[in-house]
Each structure stands twice: as C-alpha cells, then as structure tokens.
C-alpha cells in the first residue's frame, strides 16, 4: 500500500479530524494525498471509485457497501446536530409538501431524512449547501434544508427553523443521528483497513491535544471565518462517536439503513458495515 487518496470536506470537523494524518504528525507509513470538496462531490467521487478513503453521507454509503466499508473513527454522529428546514416565515411542517425546498444534494443524509420524514415532498431543488440560506432569503425557494456551518448562521438572515430533522429522528427512534462516516475500500484488506482506522483515531486524539497547531488549517478552509462559529461547529460534530461509534453508534447507523431499505429509498445489501 504505497499511496492512499483521501477525500473529505473543508468543514471544520473534517479538517480538524484529518489534520495530523495528512500533515505527517503520526507514525503512519503509507503516503497520503487529500482532496477537499463538498459532501455531495465526495459522494459522487466515491460512487465513481475515485477515492481510497472518503468522508461521505450515510445515504451515499448505502449505495457503496459493495466496494467500501465503514471505519470506526472519524464519523459525524451525535445528538442535537441534525439538518434543519428553514424558511422566511413560520411554516406548518405538514405544509412542506406544497413548498419548493432546496436540498444540499440528492445523496446527502439530510435528503434521506427528509424523504423518511415525508416521502410526498416533491418540489425539490438541489443547491450547494452554502448557497441555500441566500436562496431562501431571496425567495428563490420557499424553504431550505441546511447542514454544516449553516445551522449556526441562518438566524442572521432573519430566517426561521420550521423542522429539526435530527430532533425528529431522535424522538422517533431514540438513537443519535448518523450524518456522515469515513469509508475505505474493502479491497485494501482487513489489516490495512484496521491500520488506517487506528491512524485516523490517533489523528482525532492529536487534534484534541494540539488544537492551536490544527487551528490555522481548520480556519483556512472554513466557509465561515468567525472563530465562534468554527468552534461551535467542532464542538457539535466532534464528540465521543468521532473516536469510535461503539455499540450505540453502530445501532443508530444500522437502524437508519434498515428504515431506508424498508422505505425502498436505498438498495438492500448483505455486506457488513465494518470489516469482520
């Protein structure tokens, strides 16, 4: 294994997680090269088999299980961190079927959750995640499904949250909300996969202990430059599950995939989530 091509987003939680691994701060031998892109681009790159390791949505993972498995470290899963549907005015959530809703990509977990919440929402427009707030503010769309830093800034535009899909998921299932995970090619083999998983966990631990080293890299790629927004993003999306999903996280992921399969929103699969 001479080279590992890694794809992850420029969002603060991902750059925080991967900093040590891609900057040679760990005793990890294979050479790594990184590609930073928004989550929907990463979803599509993984679909095209362009990456050895990729941060993708769990929605995309559902379509990638034949070639990729999930790593235990590095994922985005937690409570109080789900996607929000926002609008200019107070909107009854049962009226979303009559609105034009912008989503941040068809393969995002946000889009999957919206379909699980209400499969009859049909007037959907796909926009880059960082353009949705402005589209709602201008009135180009009636509502927007927001993720990442956007959940910390939408109120600055006078917009309102009309549906918290994370809260809905937690109330419905009792699980934490699975958003995205780090995938790795199954063909790399169990030993290499476990080695990379350990290195990724060590990269998270390095960031926890050396934030001042990591900070400039995180800030240089963040969509929002306000320090408080960047810190709030990390605090929300980097948590105990980022080091290891554990049984609690695995149960949440399994339930999401099962519900989506039962709703015919994703293909069924007999492949294990993790390497055996």
């Amino acid at each position: 294994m001479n080279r590992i091509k890694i794809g992850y987003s420029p969002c603060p939680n991902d750059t925080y997680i991967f900093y040590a691994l891609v900057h040679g701060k760990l005793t990890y031998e294979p050479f790594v090269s990184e590609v930073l892109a928004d989550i929907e681009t990463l979803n599509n790159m993984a679909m095209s088999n362009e990456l050895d390791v990729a941060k993708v949505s769990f929605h995309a993972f559902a379509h990638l299980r034949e070639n990729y498995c999930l790593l235990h470290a590095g994922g985005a899963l937690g409570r109080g961190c789900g996607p929000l549907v926002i609008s200019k005015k107070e909107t009854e959530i049962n009226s979303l079927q009559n609105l034009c809703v912008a989503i941040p990509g068809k393969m995002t977990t946000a889009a999957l959750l919206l379909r699980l919440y209400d499969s009859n929402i049909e007037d959907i427009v796909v926009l880059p995640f960082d353009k949705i707030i402005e589209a709602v503010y201008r009135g180009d769309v009636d509502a927007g499904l927001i993720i990442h830093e956007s959940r910390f800034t939408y109120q600055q535009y006078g917009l309102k949250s009309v549906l918290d899909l994370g809260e809905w998921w937690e109330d419905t299932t009792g699980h934490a909300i699975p958003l995205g995970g780090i995938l790795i090619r199954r063909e790399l083999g169990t030993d290499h996969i476990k080695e990379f998983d350990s290195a990724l966990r060590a990269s998270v631990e390095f960031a926890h202990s050396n934030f001042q080293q990591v900070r400039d890299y995180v800030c240089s790629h963040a969509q929002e430059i306000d320090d408080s927004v960047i810190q709030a993003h990390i605090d929300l999306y980097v948590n105990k599950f980022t080091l290891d999903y554990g049984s609690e996280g695995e149960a949440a992921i399994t339930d999401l995939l099962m519900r989506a399969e039962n709703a015919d929103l994703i293909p069924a699969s007999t492949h294990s989530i993790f390497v055996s």
Side-chain angles (χ1 to χ4, degrees), residues 33-161:
S33 62
E34 71 270 27
V35 175
L36 275 70
D38 67 273
I39 193 68
E40 189 70 348
T41 298
L42 294 171
N43 288 341
N44 291 330
M45 290 181 73
M47 293 282 188
S48 300
N49 220 26
E50 297 176 45
L51 299 167
D52 298 306
V53 175
K55 167 67 178 289
V56 301
S57 68
F58 281 112
H59 189 184
F61 173 54
H63 296 264
L64 293 164
R65 287 179 279 182
E66 182 175 350
N67 295 323
Y68 290 89
C69 63
L70 187 65
L71 295 173
H72 293 86
L77 188 151
R79 296 185 182 274
C81 60
L84 305 177
V85 177
I86 60 168
S87 181
K88 254 188 171 181
K89 55 186 179 181
E90 297 289 351
T91 301
E92 294 294 328
I93 57 176
N94 57 7
S95 69
L96 289 177
Q97 296 174 10
N98 303 318
L99 302 180
C100 177
V101 182
I103 65 171
K106 290 183 178 179
M107 280 294 160
T108 57
T109 304
L112 178 61
L113 288 169
L114 186 65
R115 297 295 291 172
L116 286 172
Y117 174 79
D118 188 344
S119 61
N120 294 314
I121 298 173
E122 296 182 350
D123 191 359
I124 287 174
V125 176
V126 177
L127 294 176
F129 82 90
D130 57 336
K131 304 299 182 185
I132 290 178
I133 287 179
E134 292 180 2
V136 176
Y137 178 74
R138 290 193 306 266
D140 298 341
V141 294
D142 300 310
L145 183 58
I146 59 170
I147 57 175
H148 300 325
E149 295 103 315
S150 299
R151 66 175 290 126
F152 303 108
T153 59
Y154 72 92
Q155 291 172 317
Q156 298 172 13
Y157 293 78
L159 304 178
K160 300 173 176 61
S161 172

Side-chain angles (χ1 to χ4, degrees), residues 193-218:
I193 289 172
K194 289 182 176 179
E195 180 187 11
F196 190 93
D197 208 353
S198 295
L200 186 55
R201 177 178 178 129
S203 189
V204 178
E205 290 171 335
F206 180 94
H208 287 343
S209 301
N210 300 276
F211 180 65
Q212 288 309 311
Q213 277 194 57
V214 178
R215 183 183 179 281
D216 287 345
Y217 180 65
V218 171

Side-chain angles (χ1 to χ4, degrees), residues 58 61 65 70 77 169 175 178 247-261 266 273-274:
F58 281 112
F61 173 54
R65 287 179 279 182
L70 187 65
L77 188 151
W169 169 266
H175 293 303
S247 58
E248 183 182 355
E250 185 173 353
I253 296 163
T254 300
D255 193 18
L256 175 67
L257 297 176
M258 180 190 70
R259 289 171 185 269
E261 283 185 12
I266 62 171
I273 296 176
F274 303 102

